């Protein structure tokens, strides 16, 4: 076994963070958790601090700082405020970014600029801040190992090949809870319907994104950024069983795929342990129970968010940042009951139509583009707002 790695969990109380704690409990002594942090869930954070014993605990919402101080074990350093999460990153060699949405940008950039391994579950930071993240990735020692299951699969399939051999990436999609439905079927679906994902256990934002296929669109953008493959060579194929997590097609037509049960603890463990595999088989398939693997092409008319993502990716520059921001605004409004499910795509399309291209050289440039895109998207939400 190699020496213990110092681990930072950013977004430790969310779905990815809690599953990471599960992984750590399954491989005791393998990692030293030096810092954890989350947005505002101080009770869960304190409980994690009592079991993982990190030196530092951070909460982004500074109104919760004193509550956290009172709950953590004596001697634990508490940091609070908008910079707190990014500040704990320098404590470790491996940083898991499980923050939800664009708010994860600070952690992504700080981890890479610090020359750490970034176990990346936060695709939004990579997509919206691509030019800035690309620069940070050049730092010596910095590397990204994707936690997103599809990209983790592709990462595994690429381990035995050279870039020149790769013809295409195939990203698989479960199709979400509304696979096979038409737009008219979907006009009045509820938040509950959208949150009933057939195969994966995930947080609400990404589960809604899976129902619109925006998640798959964002994953196409993510794959382009991570692996440097152009959009014409990234395909999406619907695979309802979520057993094949993605595939790489080579120039001779050979296809390598990674298969396992849909359990996020496998890609989390892979990204933390890479290049070594952890000794806990979360993904092991029961071949006596698995009967079939089905594949079909996506319905991009009903699920137009997927096409919007290709459009934003091909436009490049600040367009992916705008798409991501508009989607976050639309999904939040949908979860609030203020927007219909079908209008999520319409708000995203409208923001992309009104995209004001800007140069993204610094984190501040990205924050400004994101802010402006949210303004435009919020106006689009108000035009479509449901009357209670
Ligand atoms: Mg995914």
């Amino acid at each position: 076994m190699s020496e213990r790695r110092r681990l930072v969990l950013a977004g430790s109380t969310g779905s990815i963070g809690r599953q990471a704690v599960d992984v750590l409990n399954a491989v005791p002594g393998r990692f030293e958790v030096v810092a954890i942090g989350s947005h505002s869930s101080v009770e869960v954070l304190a409980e994690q601090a009592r079991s993982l014993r990190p030196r530092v605990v951070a909460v982004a919402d500074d109104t919760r700082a004193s509550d956290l101080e009172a709950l953590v074990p004596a001697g634990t350093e508490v940091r609070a405020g908008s910079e707190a999460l990014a500040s704990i990153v320098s404590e470790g060699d491996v940083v898991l970014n499980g923050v939800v949405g664009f708010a994860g940008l600070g952690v992504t950039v700080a981890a890479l600029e610090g020359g750490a391994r970034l176990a990346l579950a936060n695709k939004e930071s990579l997509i919206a801040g691509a030019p800035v993240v690309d620069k940070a990735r050049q730092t010596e020692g910095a590397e990204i190992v994707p936690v997103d299951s599809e990209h983790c699969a592709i990462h595994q399939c690429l381990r035995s090949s050279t870039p020149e051999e790769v013809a295409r990436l195939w990203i698989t999609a479960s199709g979400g809870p509304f696979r096979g439905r038409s737009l008219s079927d979907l006009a009045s679906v509820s938040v509950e319907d959208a949150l009933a994902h057939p195969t994966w256990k995930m947080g609400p934002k990404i589960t809604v994104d899976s129902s619109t296929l925006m998640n798959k669109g964002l994953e196409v953008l993510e794959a382009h950024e991570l692996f440097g493959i152009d959009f014409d060579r990234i395909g999406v194929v619907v695979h309802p069983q979520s057993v094949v997590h993605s595939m790489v097609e080579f120039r001779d037509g050979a296809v390598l795929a990674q298969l396992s049960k849909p359990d996020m603890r496998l890609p989390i463990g892979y990204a933390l342990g890479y290049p070594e595999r952890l000794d806990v088989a979360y993904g092991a398939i029961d071949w006596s129970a698995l009967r079939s693997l089905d594949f079909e092409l996506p319905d991009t008319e009903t699920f137009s968010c997927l096409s919007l993502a290709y459009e934003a990716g091909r436009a490049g520059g600040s367009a992916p940042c705008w798409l991501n921001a508009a989607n976050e605004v639309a999904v939040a409004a949908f979860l609030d009951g203020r927007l219909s499910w079908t209008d999520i795509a319409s708000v995203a399309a409208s923001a992309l139509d009104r995209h004001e291209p800007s140069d993204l050289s610094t984190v501040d440039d990205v924050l400004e583009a994101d802010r402006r895109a949210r303004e435009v998207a919020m106006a689009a939400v108000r035009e479509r707002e449901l009357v209670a």
Side-chain angles (χ1 to χ4, degrees):
M1 194 191 285
S2 58
E3 67 188 279
R4 287 211 317 170
R5 285 180 170 155
R6 294 175 308 154
L7 184 61
V8 173
L9 303 179
S12 63
T13 63
S15 172
I16 292 290
R18 280 181 283 113
Q19 293 183 77
V21 172
D22 250 22
V23 173
L24 297 174
N25 288 334
V27 289
R30 185 74 165 69
F31 298 94
E32 179 193 0
V33 180
V34 290
I36 62 175
S38 80
H39 179 258
S40 57
S41 311
V42 296
E43 288 79 13
V44 182
L45 203 49
E47 192 188 306
Q48 292 177 334
R50 287 190 293 269
S51 75
L52 299 168
R53 292 301 178 125
R55 284 199 312 275
V56 187
V57 179
V59 61
D61 177 355
D62 53 16
T63 65
R64 306 300 315 272
S66 54
D67 296 337
L68 183 59
E69 295 263 13
L71 292 168
V72 294
T76 311
E77 181 188 341
V78 170
R79 295 184 196 168
S82 58
E83 310 290 317
L85 278 184
S87 86
I88 63 172
V89 158
S90 60
E91 306 288 323
D93 323 301
V94 178
V95 176
L96 175 70
N97 187 354
V99 175
V100 176
F102 181 74
L105 180 67
V107 169
T108 288
V109 173
L112 295 173
E113 284 181 345
R117 143 90 50 82
L118 175 63
L120 183 66
N122 177 277
K123 58 180 72 107
E124 292 89 345
S125 58
L126 179 67
I127 293 162
V132 175
V133 175
D134 276 348
K135 224 183 292 168
R137 263 174 106 178
Q138 308 308 316
T139 312
E140 198 185 323
E143 67 172 339
I144 301 179
V145 181
V147 169
D148 206 353
S149 59
E150 295 77 3
H151 306 77
C152 183
I154 291 170
H155 192 273
Q156 295 177 61
C157 294
L158 289 173
R159 282 176 78 160
S160 60
S161 63
T162 64
E164 297 71 36
E165 293 174 316
V166 174
R168 288 179 80 79
L169 307 180
W170 287 104
I171 300 177
T172 52
S174 70
F178 304 144
R179 183 176 63 89
R181 311 264 288 268
S182 69
L183 263 189
S184 55
D185 292 341
L186 294 170
S188 59
V189 294
S190 67
V191 170
E192 233 180 6
D193 297 332
L195 290 181
H197 197 278
T199 50
W200 287 104
K201 185 179 100 188
M202 304 178 292
K205 195 266 175 181
I206 186 172
T207 306
V208 173
D209 284 348
S210 297
S211 77
T212 59
L213 289 201
M214 182 61 94
N215 183 51
K216 216 40 61 178
L218 295 176
E219 288 179 351
V220 169
L221 296 166
E222 182 184 8
H224 170 79
E225 286 308 320
L226 283 173
F227 305 112
I229 305 279
D230 47 80
F231 291 99
D232 297 333
R233 297 197 294 138
I234 304 174
V236 170
V237 58
V238 174
H239 163 53
Q241 291 89 1
S242 300
V243 168
V244 175
H245 296 295
S246 278
M247 305 175 271
V248 176
E249 181 182 323
F250 295 92
R251 282 162 58 179
D252 60 359
V255 174
L256 289 190
Q258 185 258 315
L259 283 71
S260 51
K261 280 196 303 199
D263 188 325
M264 283 309 295
R265 293 175 299 180
L266 187 156
I268 292 168
Y270 176 87
L272 297 183
Y274 176 80
E276 291 166 24
R277 288 184 185 269
L278 301 188
D279 236 346
V280 48
Y282 290 116
I285 293 170
D286 175 1
W287 295 102
S288 69
L290 182 64
R291 283 287 163 273
S292 58
L293 297 173
D294 298 310
F295 300 93
E296 65 196 38
L297 290 179
D299 167 5
T300 52
E301 243 170 75
T302 306
F303 302 97
S304 57
C305 287
L306 181 55
S307 310
L308 289 175
Y310 275 95
E311 195 187 305
R314 290 190 170 108
S318 51
C321 177
W322 273 61
L323 178 73
N324 178 64
N327 180 58
E328 287 192 16
V329 167
V331 169
F334 170 71
L335 286 170
D336 256 11
R338 295 190 293 120
L339 194 71
S340 71
W341 182 89
T342 44
D343 273 341
I344 297 173
S346 132
V347 166
S350 148
L352 209 50
D353 274 349
R354 295 174 207 177
H355 169 221
E356 298 155 13
S358 61
D359 179 46
L360 305 183
S361 309
T362 65
V363 169
D364 284 343
D365 294 339
V366 180
L367 294 175
E368 176 54 23
D370 174 81
R371 189 199 61 76
R372 179 68 188 129
R374 280 170 200 267
E375 229 167 53
V376 169
M378 279 189 259
V381 167
R382 281 192 294 271
E383 286 164 17
R384 294 160 177 81
E385 200 146 17
L386 296 169
V387 184

